[in-house]
Structures are given as C-alpha cells and as structure tokens.
Amino acid sequence: MNIGIAKQEVRTIYGKARWCYLSSPDTAFNKEEYKVDLEVSKADAQEHIKAIKKIIDSEVIKVKGSLNKVKLPYKEEGDVIVFKLHSQFKPKMWDRNQKELGADITIWKDSTMWITFKPKGYNKSVGIGCTLYIQGGQIDKLVQGSPGSNGSCPFPKRSEEATA
C-alpha cells in the first residue's frame, strides 16, 4: 500500500535483485551497509518515480540561489528502472508464507522481492536528492548461494587442458 507521497511515508516496490546485500552488509569503503539494486519494469516504476520527483521538487523549492546537482536514486536502463535502496541496519525479511527468514538464509541476485522503503529528501553540499531507506522485505522467488558455490563465479568451470 502506497500512502502519502508528499509526506514521504513507507512505500512498497516489487522487482528483481541485481546487487543484493540484504543477508550481510556490503563492507566496501570502510562502512557497513545493507542494500539492494532492484530492477523494476518501466510501467511499474512510474508511480515511484513520480513520488521521488515530488520529494526532490520539495527540496528544490527550499533552495535559495543557485540549484545544486540533482541526484536520483534510480537509473533508466532500457526497459527497466534500477532503484538503489539502502539501510544501515539489517532489514527483516520474510518469505511468501510470512515466515521470517533465518540468519542461515542468504539472499542472492536474481531473487524477486517486495521491498518496503521510506523515501527521504536531502539538500547537502553534494546535491539535492532522495534516499530510499529499506524498512523490510518479502521474498517472492529466492535465489540462494554461499561463497564458493556455483553461481558465485561468473565463468564456466574449465578443464585444465584449456590453458594456452
């Protein structure tokens, strides 16, 4: 249920995970962050884009003087929109049957899911924009893995004879 566009209330979006750090945090750049890049069809993305633009517009109105760079939390890539969602805390995730996922479950890219998020506008020295903060999620189709398992390497298994 999507309520209160202008009030930046919690929204729900459905898509396929591209980069997925929901089971454990991404520790790059000396910080821990839970995040997911979620691919959404252009048609399904429109209501969210409209809400985000409204939030950004409200930040632009507050600016006096020159307009800073506008940073969007999504990118258009052909027939899909990729939304970038973040959290400093591990979000609670559930399966289709409303059962909370255990700590032993790892969520990988290509999983499909509903993510609830709260959009929050900002006006900082880096620019004006909107951050999408993850509140929680529900997995539709789970793709699992672990380091070293099939699927973690993007290359096929090669025989030793194939060396040049």
Side-chain angles (χ1 to χ4, degrees), residues 80-145:
V80 298
I81 305 294
V82 180
F83 289 89
K84 295 184 173 292
L85 301 112
H86 308 269
S87 178
Q88 291 180 309
F89 309 100
K90 184 173 182 171
K92 287 195 178 208
M93 299 297 292
W94 289 269
D95 66 14
R96 286 184 67 91
N97 298 318
Q98 301 176 321
K99 181 180 176 208
E100 190 172 342
L101 295 182
D104 60 326
I105 303 296
T106 55
I107 306 165
W108 277 45
K109 72 175 190 166
D110 295 328
S111 294
T112 56
M113 61 190 73
W114 293 270
I115 295 289
T116 56
F117 68 95
K118 185 171 186 172
K120 185 166 179 8
Y122 62 84
N123 180 357
K124 300 179 180 179
S125 60
V126 295
I128 293 172
C130 182
T131 301
L132 309 179
Y133 292 104
I134 299 170
Q135 306 297 298
Q138 185 177 25
I139 301 298
D140 183 20
K141 293 181 184 156
L142 177 64
V143 176
Q144 287 195 96

Side-chain angles (χ1 to χ4, degrees), residues 29-86:
F29 306 108
N30 295 322
K31 65 178 182 176
E32 288 191 358
E33 182 179 40
Y34 293 89
K35 60 187 179 181
V36 64
D37 287 4
L38 206 59
E39 293 181 6
V40 178
S41 72
K42 268 189 180 176
D44 292 340
Q46 294 311 304
E47 72 172 279
H48 301 292
I49 289 172
K50 188 176 181 181
I52 290 165
K53 285 183 177 180
K54 191 168 186 175
I55 291 166
I56 290 172
D57 287 347
S58 72
E59 291 298 326
V60 170
I61 290 170
K62 296 175 191 174
V63 175
K64 302 214 184 332
S66 65
L67 178 63
N68 290 336
K69 180 179 176 183
V70 174
K71 299 181 71 125
L72 299 173
Y74 61 86
K75 263 196 270 189
E76 185 175 328
E77 295 183 2
D79 292 339
V80 298
I81 305 294
V82 180
F83 289 89
K84 295 184 173 292
L85 301 112
H86 308 269

